[in-house]
Amino acid sequence: MNGFEPDTEILNMVKAMEESHPAGDAREPEDTFSRIIEVNKGYNITVQEGDLIIKTGRSATTCENCLWPKSADGTVPVPYTLSTAYNLTLIRTSMQEYETLTCVRFIPRTTEKDFLNIVSAHGCMSYVGRTGGAQTVGIDIGGCMIRGAIQHELQHSLGFHHEHARSDRDDYVNIMYEYISPDVKSNFAKHTTNNLGLEYDYGSMMHYSRYAFTNTRNQATIVPKPDPNVPIGQRDGMSILDVSKVNRLYQCNVCGHLLNDRKGTVNSANYPFAYPNDASCVWLIRTPSDQVTLNFNAFDVQSSPNCVSDYIKIYDGPSRKSPVLLDKRCGSGKISPIVASTNQMLIEFVSDGSGTGTGFKATYSSV
């Protein structure tokens, strides 16, 4: 995780953006931060580091009220308001990934005093951590409506800086100041951060792009080390470590797994040995594109009438609120291939306190 931004009056607008790169050069695909900077250059709004709104009044090391409070049931409710003019499905499914994989729950506001006021008129930007009252989160309806950009700003609101601003970043990247204009060098400052014992994440949705704020065509401002060719930044959404950071910061007790490669395997705990009793776990498959297909190689789950004891259930989307692709299944035998309608599929596995099986093993891929 990253630390908290000082709570100040809104600072100066960052006008710089990345140089365009000619077709055919060795660029990585457009990442979340590149999209955010492209959108924000059209707004006359003061921010820092490209998309951070900052107020005075608290420090990065003594911010005791920056987290959203935990409820008695162990979840972290984060109320929000937003216009019906948005693509509500995209915003809700982006929020539902948090509900599936962490203890954070983005909920429509009723009477809560502190809430996120999600608006389009402020580009793509956010405060860092909870500020109190109606807290602006800018999600431009024309330019920020991709999962990575939506979750990037939500992650800021939960209390996270950009990954390159970590206190230990110099162990992992070189900042090439010779290609950064003096007026935007502050965007590459380090912060005093709580890194939660987790490694640096080049693939975080919170990472600047390789060419962020460059003033020289084809010259990177951020170079990974020791391998300068490691890809950095992406636009697909939360990385596995992004999820881990939220769970560490908010001390979530969640059995949730993100599978975000184009293809891979998934299996129950301890497979091919007996899975544990009293388990409740989910696996969110989110391939970079196309539709998810799931093929079971083995299936052995304790049988019970109507599968009331142990079962597997599969959803066509990122949450238990998504349509069901495979209703509760237990016992053993062959399960036909399952294809989602999008690049997201959720597997839920539940076991009770007695009786087990060897569980399941499956492969997934994009089709």
Side-chain angles (χ1 to χ4, degrees), residues 83-273:
S83 168
T84 56
Y86 279 110
N87 179 335
L88 298 181
T89 298
L90 179 58
I91 289 183
R92 285 171 180 160
T93 56
S94 298
M95 291 177 170
Q96 283 170 355
E97 287 196 7
Y98 285 92
E99 180 175 342
T100 296
L101 298 169
T102 77
C103 60
V104 171
R105 304 288 185 266
F106 291 101
I107 59 173
R109 181 206 180 209
T110 53
T111 60
E112 294 86 357
K113 177 184 176 183
D114 299 340
F115 63 95
L116 303 181
N117 180 30
I118 301 174
V119 296
S120 178
H122 289 71
C124 311
M125 56 190 68
S126 176
Y127 293 92
V128 176
R130 181 172 65 96
T131 64
Q135 177 175 333
T136 297
V137 176
I139 298 179
D140 183 85
I141 205 166
C144 296
M145 293 303 291
I146 58 173
R147 183 184 300 108
I150 294 168
Q151 292 182 344
H152 181 103
E153 302 308 336
L154 293 177
Q155 194 87 340
H156 278 318
S157 74
L158 293 176
F160 294 90
H161 276 297
H162 294 123
E163 188 73 358
H164 83 283
R166 282 173 53 138
S167 56
D168 61 351
R169 67 100 184 274
D170 292 334
D171 295 333
Y172 303 95
V173 297
N174 286 318
I175 304 301
M176 312 304 290
Y177 286 104
E178 60 266 40
Y179 304 122
I180 303 170
S181 299
D183 60 328
V184 295
K185 284 186 177 181
S186 62
N187 296 307
F188 295 86
K190 289 188 295 185
H191 295 279
T192 301
T193 57
N194 173 10
N195 300 319
L196 296 165
L198 293 170
E199 61 265 38
Y200 191 89
D201 186 10
Y202 297 104
S204 171
M205 66 177 177
M206 306 304 290
H207 206 298
Y208 267 21
S209 63
R210 187 179 301 271
Y211 298 98
F213 298 103
T214 186
N215 60 15
T216 305
R217 184 182 295 271
N218 295 328
Q219 295 296 334
T221 54
I222 302 178
V223 178
K225 60 183 187 182
D227 181 1
N229 298 313
V230 170
I232 57 175
Q234 45 89 10
R235 59 183 294 179
D236 297 325
M238 287 190 290
S239 69
I240 293 172
L241 282 171
D242 287 329
V243 173
S244 296
K245 292 170 193 173
V246 176
N247 285 328
R248 288 277 183 96
L249 177 62
Y250 284 94
Q251 299 179 9
C252 300
N253 182 20
V254 176
C255 181
H257 311 274
L258 174 64
L259 306 172
N260 58 357
D261 293 324
R262 184 165 293 278
K263 60 182 180 179
T265 61
V266 54
N267 54 262
S268 53
N270 299 334
Y271 183 87
F273 304 104

Side-chain angles (χ1 to χ4, degrees), residues 28-45:
E28 297 166 355
E30 183 191 30
D31 64 287
T32 293
F33 188 73
S34 298
R35 169 68 70 92
I36 288 170
I37 290 299
E38 175 68 22
V39 172
N40 285 353
K41 70 171 185 174
Y43 285 87
N44 187 25
I45 299 172

Side-chain angles (χ1 to χ4, degrees), residues 286-331:
R286 189 191 68 213
T287 57
S289 61
D290 304 317
Q291 296 168 252
V292 179
T293 181
L294 185 70
N295 291 277
F296 282 89
N297 308 115
F299 186 79
D300 176 30
V301 174
Q302 179 195 12
S303 183
S304 62
N306 300 317
C307 298
V308 296
S309 297
D310 301 358
Y311 63 85
I312 191 171
K313 191 172 181 179
I314 300 177
Y315 302 86
D316 190 14
S319 84
R320 295 177 180 90
K321 299 175 183 176
S322 303
V324 175
L325 287 169
L326 179 71
D327 210 345
K328 291 182 179 180
R329 179 68 66 90
C330 58

Side-chain angles (χ1 to χ4, degrees), residues 335-355:
I335 297 179
S336 299
I338 299 171
V339 181
S341 62
T342 68
N343 68 326
Q344 294 176 301
M345 178 188 291
L346 181 67
I347 301 172
E348 178 185 24
F349 180 72
V350 174
S351 67
D352 66 3
S354 63

